[in-house]
Amino acid sequence: MQRPSRQWYWLSSVRSKSLSLTFPLLCKFFLLGLLGICFVQTFAITGIKYSSPTLASAMGNLIPGITFLLAIAFRMEKVALRSRSSQAKILGTIVSIFGAFIVTLYKGPALMRLSSTSNSYFHLPVSQYSNWALGGLLLTVTCVSSATWKIFQAATLKEYPDKVTLVFLSCFFGTLQCAVVSLIVERDSMAWKLQPGIQMAAVVYAAIVGTVFRSSVIAWCLYKKGPVFVALFKPVATVIAVFTAVVFLGETPHLGSLIGAIVIAFGFYAVIWGQANETNTTAGNVTSLEANQKFPLLKNT
């Protein structure tokens, strides 16, 4: 049986040393759990409690703009105002956010008449803790925390590219933090008992899809494309929410939903075009630089 070569041992040892967990990395994972799970979940749910899901959806569309500004501030995105690529990304981001606001805030006339589901089991009652200003403030904190989490996670992935370990530890720390906050805020033991049905389904869905699956996909996309590309899909979630509400809840589609979806599509493809054009330009510059280094006579000619 052939023994592994020394080169294989050297590569494995280098890889294990480069991906070893250190105390500063564990602190970063702790902060990722605090920003992306504990803060987002706590402030978002409390903000919806004091306002409404409509305001939460509208405020959530601010995340791409905040992420884009933070990426510029931390030099993760390059912006040249005279470049067509940068102009397309800036304009596309603004248009996407504007379209998401149209979907959320402008209802318009009904496009078709569907059966009413006002007596549905999923009908949301009016909150008895109505405080629009406080709810908006908490949702703003949620947007800032989510945008900061994307920026910080993208920077951490460059230092520690093991996405599985990063997602596991950040979710682990975030779960412990949420448990501590819940024990401090909720003292009633009866509130911790889950009833079978929609409560159990909501908890399981939030744990598997809303936390584990979401964090894994976002970590992979951040590693591949960066924080602005990931945050750009936030306004698209509003369109998906309108579609699922029409299909599963029987809500009546309105003109504002159609107009907002079209505006979001234009903004989305504008940013995608800007990033693709910037990538092609960078690749062309690298290719020409390599050609000049290999064949310096061509440069002189």
Side-chain angles (χ1 to χ4, degrees):
M1 182 176 181
Q2 187 178 2
R3 297 179 61 183
S5 61
R6 294 182 179 179
Q7 185 179 6
W8 184 87
Y9 283 117
W10 181 80
L11 290 175
S12 61
S13 62
V14 170
R15 184 179 179 183
S16 61
K17 291 180 180 179
S18 61
L19 296 181
S20 60
L21 289 174
T22 60
F23 181 74
L25 275 176
L26 291 176
C27 293
K28 292 181 180 180
F29 295 153
F30 182 87
L31 289 177
L32 285 174
L34 184 67
L35 291 172
I37 297 178
C38 184
F39 279 2
V40 169
Q41 295 288 340
T42 303
F43 288 114
I45 294 175
T46 310
I48 294 174
K49 174 183 177 181
Y50 283 101
S51 58
S52 69
T54 302
L55 181 62
S57 179
M59 297 297 293
N61 297 314
L62 297 175
I63 295 178
I66 298 175
T67 305
F68 186 71
L69 295 177
L70 290 176
I72 296 175
F74 289 100
R75 298 181 179 180
M76 301 179 70
E77 285 284 330
K78 296 180 180 179
V79 176
L81 297 179
R82 295 183 179 181
S83 173
R84 296 180 62 185
S85 300
S86 298
Q87 292 175 358
K89 289 193 292 184
I90 294 173
L91 181 62
T93 302
I94 296 174
V95 170
S96 297
I97 296 173
F98 180 72
F101 272 108
I102 292 177
V103 173
T104 307
L105 302 178
Y106 174 66
K107 193 173 184 178
L111 298 177
M112 62 181 68
R113 297 294 180 182
L114 299 176
S115 59
S116 176
T117 57
S118 58
N119 296 325
S120 174
Y121 185 75
F122 298 100
H123 179 66
L124 295 176
V126 179
S127 177
Q128 58 178 337
Y129 304 98
S130 180
N131 191 331
W132 201 262
L134 179 58
L137 178 62
L138 293 174
L139 293 173
T140 302
V141 175
T142 304
C143 296
V144 175
S145 178
S146 179
T148 308
W149 171 67
K150 289 181 175 63
I151 296 293
F152 188 54
Q153 188 174 15
T156 307
L157 281 170
K158 292 182 180 180
E159 180 182 355
Y160 190 84
D162 191 353
K163 295 175 283 296
V164 177
T165 304
L166 183 144
V167 171
F168 171 78
L169 290 178
S170 61
C171 291
F172 174 75
F173 286 128
T175 303
L176 293 181
Q177 293 159 3
C178 289
V180 172
V181 173
S182 300
L183 289 173
I184 295 175
V185 174
E186 186 59 61
R187 303 294 180 88
D188 187 8
S189 59
M190 297 299 296
W192 291 85
K193 294 183 179 180
L194 291 178
Q195 300 296 330
I198 188 63
Q199 292 185 4
M200 184 68 69
V203 171
V204 173
Y205 180 86
I208 298 177
V209 179
T211 301
V212 178
F213 180 76
R214 168 178 167 270
S215 300
S216 302
V217 173
I218 289 178
W220 184 83
C221 293
L222 284 172
Y223 181 75
K224 292 292 184 179
K225 289 294 185 179
V228 176
F229 182 84
V230 174
L232 181 67
F233 285 84
K234 181 63 179 179
V236 183
T238 307
V239 181
I240 299 175
V242 172
F243 175 78
T244 53
V246 171
V247 174
F248 296 104
L249 301 181
E251 293 187 2
T252 303
H254 292 79
L255 181 62
S257 302
L258 178 61
I259 296 176
I262 295 174
V263 173
I264 290 175
F266 275 109
F268 173 76
Y269 286 111
V271 177
I272 294 298
W273 180 87
Q275 287 193 343
N277 191 28
E278 185 178 13
T279 302
N280 294 333
T281 303
T282 305
N285 294 334
V286 172
T287 303
S288 62
L289 179 61
E290 292 177 352
N292 291 332
Q293 292 176 351
K294 291 181 180 179
F295 307 101
L297 294 177
L298 294 178
K299 181 179 179 181
N300 296 331
T301 304

